[in-house]
Amino acid sequence: MNKELRKVIIAGNWKMNKTRAEAKVLIEELKPVSANADCEVVIAVPFTNLETAVNLTAGTNIKVGAQNCHFEKSGAFTGEVSADMLAELGVEYVIIGHSERRQYFGETDETVNKRTKAALEAGLKVIICVGEMLEEREKGITEEIVGIQTKIALLGITAEQIKNVIIAYEPVWAIGTGKTATAEQANEVCSYIRGVVEKLYSKEVADALTIQYGGSMNAANAAELLAQPDVDGGLIGGASLKANDFGVILAEASK
Ligand code: PGA
């Protein structure tokens, strides 16, 4: 982390977990463990829990995010939700291009770019996910893969707009596997992404950009990951569903 230069953000990605009744319980548990956090706290909940989460977190330091949005404003897109619909609810963040969307739902670098633009236009803050698959790491092309994902995601995004962009580096092989990247591996790629952004924009923009690590970040390994200079927070799946574990990660990010 480098708190002098940029904001540290810890975001829970609940994925397809928690009914509304269950979400209410978890949010109530999260309030006390989040209250003293010296970092931005976000929970990205299923669409069906957004309104509940916005209402229950009102007046707290917990911000609410969605896990996807469509790139069109409205129209014949059965099953989709627009960025304006999210913003209207009081949602502040949206995750775009998570590897599970890329893997199971046909998300491409181009649609990530379109969704990012739509979300920014609606006034949302966007967490763009990038990351290599295991075979790509083994072939030594991690930087090429993550570089191209970053460049395409940011096509047409202005230096002003990128203030509302966060990049989450999530090696696909580390997601939900319990196999975390080492702190050095995480920092190496986060630093590489910062370099890509510096070339596209400027050093000032790159220095101010929050770049999270995601992939089996948990209460036990968060301290080491967050101690890295280019790791500015975490996108946390499994451990974000346990209030105590999430609280420990927030405490580490608050140091
Ligand atoms: P995980 O998920 O922490 O369960 O590995 C992270 C993510 O997919 O954002």
Side-chain angles (χ1 to χ4, degrees):
M1 303 186 282
N2 186 336
K3 287 191 170 174
E4 273 160 36
L5 288 177
R6 47 198 171 250
K7 202 188 256 186
V8 169
I9 304 175
I10 299 293
N13 174 11
W14 288 16
K15 308 192 180 185
M16 195 175 73
N17 290 294
K18 304 292 172 188
T19 62
R20 181 162 60 175
E22 291 165 347
K24 284 181 182 170
V25 173
L26 179 54
I27 291 168
E28 290 309 329
E29 290 172 355
L30 286 171
K31 284 183 193 177
V33 301
S34 309
N36 297 318
D38 182 26
C39 64
E40 184 95 330
V41 185
V42 182
I43 53 171
V45 305
F47 286 130
T48 50
N49 291 333
L50 287 170
E51 194 161 14
T52 302
V54 167
N55 290 336
L56 289 181
T57 57
T60 76
N61 57 335
I62 303 174
K63 310 284 169 63
V64 176
Q67 301 169 11
N68 185 29
C69 71
H70 198 260
F71 42 81
E72 294 294 344
K73 278 195 144 333
S74 63
F77 301 100
T78 302
E80 292 295 316
V81 170
S82 77
D84 285 338
M85 292 171 183
L86 299 178
E88 186 202 31
L89 289 185
V91 170
E92 285 185 51
Y93 284 82
V94 62
I95 299 172
I96 297 290
H98 189 278
S99 65
E100 286 149 18
R101 304 277 339 151
R102 295 179 191 255
Q103 205 174 337
Y104 306 130
F105 303 103
E107 189 82 72
T108 65
D109 291 334
E110 286 73 20
T111 55
V112 168
N113 175 246
K114 288 166 86 166
R115 289 183 213 276
T116 299
K117 283 182 181 159
L120 290 171
E121 272 160 30
L124 298 170
K125 298 188 177 90
V126 183
I127 300 176
I128 299 173
C129 300
V130 299
E132 83 287 2
M133 292 190 287
L134 184 59
E135 53 270 38
E136 293 165 340
R137 174 161 286 268
E138 287 171 349
K139 286 201 181 100
I141 56 171
T142 295
E143 290 186 349
E144 285 88 340
I145 295 293
V146 168
I148 203 75
Q149 288 175 341
T150 303
K151 286 178 187 172
I152 296 175
L154 296 176
L155 275 176
I157 309 281
T158 67
E160 189 55 33
Q161 285 178 310
I162 203 175
K163 289 178 183 160
N164 287 322
V165 170
I166 296 102
I167 294 183
Y169 166 54
E170 297 207 307
V172 180
W173 48 271
I175 295 176
T177 57
K179 222 175 160 188
T180 321
T182 64
E184 292 71 30
Q185 284 172 330
N187 194 64
E188 196 174 58
V189 183
C190 289
S191 164
Y192 177 76
I193 293 168
R194 200 177 305 287
V196 168
V197 171
E198 181 175 338
K199 280 199 197 110
L200 290 176
Y201 296 88
S202 66
K203 179 160 167 42
E204 200 190 350
V205 165
D207 279 347
L209 178 71
T210 297
I211 304 180
Q212 300 172 313
Y213 167 78
S216 300
M217 193 191 263
N218 58 39
N221 60 29
E224 200 189 349
L225 288 160
L226 294 169
Q228 300 294 318
D230 281 296
V231 176
D232 311 313
L235 183 56
I236 294 130
S240 75
L241 298 171
K242 298 175 209 139
N244 286 340
D245 291 19
F246 198 62
V248 171
I249 298 169
L250 291 175
E252 293 300 340
S254 301
K255 286 183 178 162

